[in-house]
Amino acid sequence: MIARPLLPRPFALGPLLLGTALLALTPVPVFAAPSSAAPASPVKADDAHPVLMNAAVLSGLGAEAQRYPLFAAELARVRKDVDAAIHAGVNVPVPKDAGGGASHEQHKRNYTALYGAGLLYRVTGDRRYADFARDLLLAYAKLYPTLGPHPAAKNEAAGRLFWQSLNDSVWLVYGIQGYDAVRDALTPRDRKTIDDQVFRKMAEFLSTGSPKVFDRIHNHATWANAGVGMTGYVLRDPDLVEQALKGLDKSGKAGFLRQLDLLFSPDGYYAEGPYYQRYALQPFVIFAAAVDANEPQRRIFEYRDGIVLKAIRTAIQLTSDGYFLPFNDAMPDKSLKTEELYQAVAIGYGKTHDPALLSIAQWQDRTVLTPQGLEVARDLAAGKAKPFPFASMLLRDGPDGDHGGIAVLRDGPGSKDQLLAVKNTAQGMGHGHFDKLNWILYDNGQPIVTDYGAARFLNIEAKDGGRYLPENETWAKQTVAHNTLVVDETSHFGGDWKRGETLSPRQLYFSADGQTRASIAEMTDAYPGVTFRRALLQVKVDGLKSPLIVDLLKVNGGKPARYDLPLHYTGQLIDTNFPLQSNVAARPVLGKANGYQHLWVDATSQPNPASQARNGHASGNVVTWIEDGRFYSYRVATPGVTMILGESGANDPRFNLRREPFILQRLDGATDAAFVSLLEPHGRYDASAETTIGSDSAVQALTHERKGDFDLVTITFRKGGSLVLAIADDTDPAKNHTLQIGGRSQTWAGPVGRFDMTQEASR
């Protein structure tokens, strides 16, 4: 919502009036509602009241803000930061450095200070904040027109203030909101100077001056569209708004609306993956809120069946204990505690009043100094929060939902409940990795089966200016850096992401019901002539604290090849039940290219699948490790497989890579193959009490057999009994199957049947 014209002096809102203002204040659009989608003529150019938020709700809150702890804490935080910036004085350096450098960081501090100063002026009425914003912008008005391409730009589209134009767009998104909040407090002369020399010039550079970026379908364009569009509203320039919404030629083939069409699936999943969904959400939701306030007739929050609001909820679902699933280019330490999600949760709550979003704000322990943030804080203080409904779900990928998807299987809604995520999505454009049918696992609140994410030290100047490192291409994107099939030591699609964009997996089956939850997907032509299908099952067993994970990956190739199946994990290796040939005198490297050059080989073994384990422990090929006091046993029933144990970090002279352990199953000379594995969480080690419980696996054996059009995986338990999982080739969920199992005729519907042979019952 936007503001009514300001009262001549700050005023205090009582509790009743405050609630009424939040819920019912009528906005005054800058562009009056036209009879068609085309915007009407702007209001008078000298009308400078704020248009990007309902400023009247915030004006003169004073002590009233202290009634709501989350809002009061944010007010204190922003005031501290902005007061420090005022004390330090205006500093607008000539751009020189890449990410993390002095000039880069100062311009970042400036846009956050400008944004904060605008909000503080509205909340407190303190003229100091408007004066600081004015002085800062007048300094930019002198500098910005003199700038050319940034001197530290490399392969990216160069910015003016920053090494890449993306950061300039972020500056504009923040800067225009801060300016909007103080614009009516400035003299017409200062307004004209700042309008023309800062914001209009910046909007021109990021739009007509950068057409290849502005008209892309990509998050860089989202930020540019949002910044330019909001600038259009503030400067009362409908042409800029139309360009932002529909592309430079206003045809609708590019721009904000087209990005909403193409970058999100019908389920609200973002094409580049969860990490970039987080990053892109901020411009999507902030610009959508600006469109809604100024042109409500566009019904932007209803566009594509409410895709913006779906995207907020989907982003939250794609987290474990608040941290985003690190598929594709991603930093594993990014969580919901980011500016993008503070804004998204507040705006989402402002539109829906969904009490589950309040629980997310409570976990974040922050909100924003906006009318929507005030609503969040007020309703949290009133005890209206309800738990967010984290659940198992299939989130489809692609504009029409037909490019695979991410299968999320949860053992419960809690932060320590097991979460299995399977990445059966499309490539994800340039930030995508070559990892079709990859999977990760969280258990006991910890990442257990891991995805490396991106090779990057964000905003650390010593690491290539905070850019993506060369190892992002040579390691992090390569298939062997993930938990999926590698053929002949090469990556999917030959490492060509543009080719990868043309081919997607098929999600054949998904079930989140009952004691056996399942995802089955298939990929064809990630390697020419090769099809592989993967069934991942989350299997609950009475008496076991966490579910078992059963992994059946079948390969059909046209000729003999080397098949590798890596598993990257977190933890300290404890034991193997097969002999190892360890490399103690020298540490060989696994290969020469496609990520293999970055893998140390610490030990190898060729265990016999039928052999009995040493020391009387469970049979089979088992590697056990410990993480955060829990044991994990990875059991392999793949015949003829070579086991390779090692660690990432080879050929890394600059120490750009994390050292992380892996287990790799290798089959040489196979045409068709079936990799069969089981991951079992078990036991507990308490370092304080020096006690160990359940360090031995509960599983005695894992076997696999092919029977007609079915794969049978049998899990035998040490304490007696067994569990048989029947996986049919036909994935029709309505198809009935009958098979002789354990001497009895068993019938079930759908591709997965479960039979507890101790109870002789199907689950």
Side-chain angles (χ1 to χ4, degrees):
M1 298 175 71
I2 66 169
R4 295 181 184 275
L6 287 177
L7 297 178
R9 56 187 175 82
F11 64 99
L13 289 171
L16 178 61
L17 181 56
L18 173 62
T20 303
L22 282 169
L23 295 173
L25 186 61
T26 304
V28 181
V30 167
F31 301 139
S35 58
S36 67
S41 299
V43 298
K44 293 188 297 181
D46 61 353
D47 180 4
H49 72 271
V51 297
L52 300 181
M53 67 167 165
N54 191 341
V57 171
L58 299 181
S59 293
L61 276 176
E64 188 66 36
Q66 302 305 314
R67 290 171 54 86
Y68 313 116
L70 207 63
F71 195 82
E74 183 66 4
L75 178 61
R77 187 193 68 79
V78 175
R79 192 197 300 266
K80 179 180 177 181
D81 290 347
V82 176
D83 285 352
I86 293 173
H87 179 75
V90 170
N91 180 5
V92 180
V94 174
K96 179 179 66 173
D97 307 300
S103 64
H104 178 98
E105 293 301 306
Q106 184 60 47
H107 288 298
K108 283 181 62 180
R109 285 192 290 271
N110 285 348
Y111 71 64
T112 56
L114 172 58
Y115 175 68
L119 295 175
L120 287 171
Y121 173 63
R122 286 297 158 193
V123 172
T124 68
D126 189 336
R127 178 74 200 198
R128 288 187 311 127
Y129 297 119
D131 290 346
F132 171 71
R134 176 201 63 205
D135 294 346
L136 186 60
L137 287 169
L138 288 174
Y140 273 103
K142 293 179 180 178
L143 173 69
Y144 193 80
T146 70
L147 300 178
H150 195 283
K154 287 193 175 180
N155 298 326
E156 299 81 4
R160 295 290 188 261
L161 294 173
F162 299 95
W163 62 278
Q164 61 172 345
S165 63
L166 170 63
N167 298 83
D168 286 54
S169 298
V170 175
W171 194 105
L172 181 57
V173 166
Y174 278 89
I176 194 62
Q177 292 179 86
Y179 181 46
D180 177 60
V182 303
R183 190 168 179 260
D184 65 342
L186 308 186
T187 66
R189 179 178 178 179
D190 286 343
R191 279 206 305 270
K192 179 171 175 52
T193 298
I194 294 166
D195 285 359
D196 294 346
Q197 301 305 311
V198 180
F199 290 103
R200 193 168 294 281
K201 285 190 179 298
M202 191 173 286
E204 289 171 354
F205 163 63
L206 292 171
S207 56
T208 55
S210 306
K212 290 183 179 179
V213 174
F214 193 77
D215 278 351
R216 288 179 73 186
I217 304 300
H218 192 271
N219 76 79
H220 288 208
T222 309
W223 281 94
N225 294 162
V228 170
M230 290 193 293
T231 299
Y233 285 129
V234 173
L235 300 188
R236 282 53 171 174
D237 186 339
D239 194 58
L240 284 180
V241 175
E242 283 295 291
Q243 287 182 337
L245 289 170
K246 297 182 179 180
L248 290 175
D249 65 2
K250 305 175 191 174
S251 68
K253 295 178 181 178
F256 185 76
L257 297 177
R258 193 59 175 157
Q259 295 202 52
L260 287 175
D261 291 338
L262 297 181
L263 286 177
F264 291 101
S265 80
D267 297 327
Y269 175 75
Y270 180 71
E272 294 179 289
Y275 177 86
Y276 273 95
Q277 178 148 352
R278 163 205 62 85
Y279 186 64
L281 260 184
Q282 185 170 353
F284 275 117
V285 298
I286 288 177
F287 189 33
V291 173
D292 190 51
N294 289 281
E295 299 183 86
Q297 73 278 3
R298 290 190 185 270
R299 305 170 72 91
I300 192 67
F301 282 106
E302 298 173 32
Y303 188 81
R304 275 199 75 197
D305 194 29
I307 196 66
V308 172
L309 297 173
K310 281 185 180 180
I312 296 170
R313 293 188 177 97
T314 294
I316 296 168
Q317 288 285 357
L318 289 169
T319 62
S320 174
D321 194 21
Y323 287 84
F324 288 97
L325 306 183
F327 291 128
N328 292 339
D329 281 345
M331 310 301 290
D333 56 355
K334 280 293 184 183
S335 76
L336 294 169
K337 293 184 178 182
T338 62
E339 183 66 26
E340 299 91 350
L341 266 296
Y342 301 142
Q343 295 280 359
V345 168
I347 289 172
Y349 184 73
K351 290 302 297 181
T352 67
H353 295 98
D354 178 359
L357 291 175
L358 293 178
S359 70
I360 300 300
Q362 194 169 36
W363 185 90
Q364 293 171 316
D365 198 29
R366 265 187 67 180
T367 190
V368 289
L369 289 188
T370 63
Q372 298 96 329
L374 183 60
E375 280 193 88
V376 166
R378 179 199 65 188
D379 289 355
L380 259 181
K384 294 183 179 181
K386 292 184 178 180
F388 190 85
F390 289 104
S392 297
M393 59 182 60
L394 176 65
L395 294 165
R396 295 170 294 167
D397 192 11
D400 298 317
D402 56 359
H403 292 171
I406 284 188
V408 178
L409 296 169
R410 295 180 184 268
D411 190 38
S415 62
K416 289 187 176 294
D417 292 323
Q418 190 184 91
L419 185 161
L420 167 66
V422 193
K423 183 174 178 279
N424 303 323
T425 66
Q427 179 65 26
M429 300 186 286
H431 285 301
H433 287 194
F434 305 106
D435 62 342
K436 301 300 103 177
L437 314 194
N438 178 32
W439 69 289
I440 58 177
L441 182 77
Y442 294 81
D443 187 73
N444 194 34
Q446 301 296 319
I448 302 302
V449 177
T450 59
D451 187 306
Y452 190 90
R456 184 183 192 185
F457 292 81
L458 189 62
N459 267 6
I460 296 180
E461 187 177 20
K463 291 295 189 182
D464 287 11
R467 302 179 181 91
Y468 285 100
L469 295 162
E471 289 79 6
N472 201 55
E473 301 296 325
T474 63
W475 164 249
K477 287 186 176 183
Q478 300 293 331
T479 304
V480 75
H482 303 86
N483 308 301
T484 191
L485 178 73
V486 190
V487 179
D488 289 332
E489 298 189 16
T490 61
S491 284
H492 297 170
F493 315 115
D496 180 354
W497 72 264
K498 291 183 179 179
R499 180 168 174 263
E501 283 287 292
T502 67
L503 298 166
S504 300
R506 291 191 303 145
Q507 183 75 43
L508 301 175
Y509 177 75
F510 176 83
S511 175
D513 300 327
Q515 296 287 86
T516 305
R517 297 177 279 269
S519 165
I520 303 176
E522 185 173 271
M523 186 67 212
T524 300
D525 285 340
Y527 300 100
V530 175
T531 296
F532 58 104
R533 178 182 289 199
R534 191 169 212 169
L536 278 156
L537 281 57
Q538 189 180 51
V539 182
K540 289 182 68 67
V541 177
D542 291 344
L544 300 184
K545 189 168 185 179
S546 287
L548 306 177
I549 303 299
V550 175
D551 179 14
L552 172 64
L553 190 152
K554 301 196 304 179
V555 191
N556 296 111
K559 58 184 179 180
R562 167 173 282 179
Y563 295 144
D564 289 340
L565 183 60
L567 184 94
H568 300 268
Y569 67 94
T570 301
Q572 173 63 47
L573 193 147
I574 296 296
D575 192 20
T576 67
N577 71 342
F578 48 83
L580 295 173
Q581 291 80 52
S582 297
N583 300 312
V584 293
R587 204 178 192 194
V589 176
L590 188 57
K592 296 182 179 179
N594 305 315
Y596 281 75
Q597 74 274 28
H598 292 300
L599 291 173
W600 297 113
V601 178
D602 292 323
T604 59
S605 181
Q606 293 182 326
N608 181 353
S611 67
Q612 188 70 21
R614 56 190 170 86
N615 300 328
H617 286 268
S619 63
N621 311 318
V622 187
V623 180
T624 299
W625 68 87
I626 188 170
E627 173 63 14
D628 194 37
R630 183 169 287 185
F631 297 92
Y632 296 88
S633 290
Y634 182 59
R635 185 178 301 270
V636 172
T638 309
V641 74
T642 297
M643 302 290 285
I644 300 173
L645 308 182
E647 189 177 59
S648 61
N651 288 303
D652 181 25
R654 295 181 56 211
F655 296 91
N656 285 338
L657 295 177
R658 301 189 301 271
R659 274 53 176 162
E660 298 182 348
F662 72 91
I663 304 163
L664 186 141
Q665 301 179 54
R666 170 166 285 178
L667 284 174
D668 275 320
T671 299
D672 299 335
F675 290 91
V676 186
S677 314
L678 171 72
L679 182 62
E680 174 198 1
H682 58 93
R684 181 69 186 168
Y685 172 67
D686 187 329
S688 298
E690 299 181 2
T691 57
T692 301
I693 300 171
S695 61
D696 289 335
S697 168
V699 175
Q700 176 71 27
L702 174 71
T703 62
H704 166 256
E705 66 173 311
R706 182 71 178 165
K707 200 168 184 178
D709 295 331
F710 305 92
D711 288 281
L712 297 185
V713 177
T714 301
I715 304 167
T716 304
F717 297 98
R718 287 197 303 141
K719 292 186 177 181
S722 61
L723 182 66
V724 178
L725 298 165
I727 302 169
D729 292 346
D730 189 335
T731 56
D732 182 351
K735 180 71 177 292
N736 290 317
H737 303 283
T738 301
L739 192 65
Q740 288 290 320
I741 299 175
R744 296 186 54 160
S745 179
Q746 304 284 6
T747 301
W748 75 97
V752 178
R754 171 180 171 154
F755 306 95
D756 186 331
M757 304 313 290
T758 59
Q759 299 179 11
E760 298 185 340
S762 174
R763 296 186 186 180

